[in-house]
Amino acid sequence: MCNTNSQYDEVIATCRNLFVKKMADYGPSWRISRPQTITDQIFINAKRIRTIQINGEAKIADDIYSEYIGIVNYGVIGLIQLEKGFADTIDISSDDAIALYDKHISETKHLMMNKNADYGEAWRDMRPDSYADFILTKVARTKSIENHNGKTLVSEGIAANYQDMINYAVFALIRHNEGSE
């Protein structure tokens, strides 16, 4: 039987490990990026996944798995940028960035567990290619909200969309680990 809780933690450990290594290499240089830029970066990752899925081949070495890791990590960066606002300089330490990463992943996992209970783990029965499409849809929604200065009439906001992008990417990574690509 599948254990979503532990599988989620396993995937996040991989994503977090890369995030920590990038903090060692670059520090939180992304602090100078506006949230819209982070949304566009997630778009690039998801668009590449979909293009590879459609064309059946990649021209550069990074695989789909690493692109989904990028979506998780950029999604968390987006949540941090929404919380703190963007900066003109790097204004937090790598340790602070990692602590914020952990905070936002914890909140995002909590949301996933609640939704997962309501939806009966429907994501496990989805076609693996659909995760990229759902992420691209969330990116389009986020761009629309950003274009309206973050205001919505009845819809969830930007943070909820970033959390959904993270969770769909985690689902894709879990399915990859299970051999269900």
Side-chain angles (χ1 to χ4, degrees):
M1 182 170 168
C2 300
N3 183 341
T4 301
N5 186 51
S6 63
Q7 289 175 303
Y8 193 101
D9 291 344
E10 179 183 319
V11 163
I12 291 303
T14 299
C15 298
R16 185 183 187 278
N17 183 48
L18 181 61
F19 186 85
V20 168
K21 287 178 180 176
K22 294 230 180 193
M23 288 301 97
D25 286 348
Y26 310 126
S29 57
W30 42 264
R31 284 291 296 132
I32 64 172
S33 295
R34 292 170 286 185
Q36 299 91 319
T37 303
I38 304 305
T39 302
D40 283 341
Q41 181 60 55
I42 295 169
F43 168 76
I44 290 167
N45 291 98
K47 182 69 172 177
R48 181 164 186 269
I49 291 167
R50 185 165 146 160
T51 300
I52 292 169
Q53 290 170 338
I54 291 168
N55 294 338
E57 67 176 339
K59 300 286 186 181
I60 59 173
D62 293 339
D63 60 3
I64 288 175
Y65 188 83
S66 63
E67 296 293 342
Y68 277 119
I69 291 171
I71 290 169
V72 170
N73 288 344
Y74 279 112
V76 175
I77 288 169
L79 291 168
I80 294 169
Q81 294 299 78
L82 287 174
E83 175 185 337
K84 296 191 70 59
F86 69 93
D88 290 329
T89 61
I90 300 171
D91 61 346
I92 61 173
S93 69
S94 293
D95 288 341
D96 289 341
I98 294 165
L100 287 165
Y101 183 101
D102 292 342
K103 171 191 165 207
H104 285 288
I105 280 296
S106 176
E107 292 170 356
T108 300
K109 180 183 178 186
H110 180 75
L111 173 68
M112 181 280 301
M113 294 300 284
N114 287 339
K115 284 186 173 185
N116 203 34
D118 286 351
Y119 289 96
E121 295 209 320
W123 64 272
R124 289 192 180 276
D125 295 321
M126 289 171 53
R127 295 176 188 98
D129 287 356
S130 295
Y131 300 121
D133 291 349
F134 277 112
I135 292 167
L136 285 167
T137 300
K138 294 292 182 176
V139 166
R141 290 176 181 179
T142 301
K143 285 182 174 187
S144 180
I145 296 167
E146 289 168 345
N147 291 341
H148 293 102
N149 298 316
K151 293 180 175 54
T152 61
L153 297 176
V154 296
S155 303
E156 296 176 313
I158 294 170
N161 281 286
Y162 278 146
Q163 288 178 312
D164 286 346
M165 290 179 226
I166 292 166
N167 285 330
Y168 281 121
V170 170
F171 295 156
L173 292 165
I174 290 171
R175 296 286 301 277
H176 169 86
N177 289 349
E178 293 176 337
S180 305
E181 297 184 87

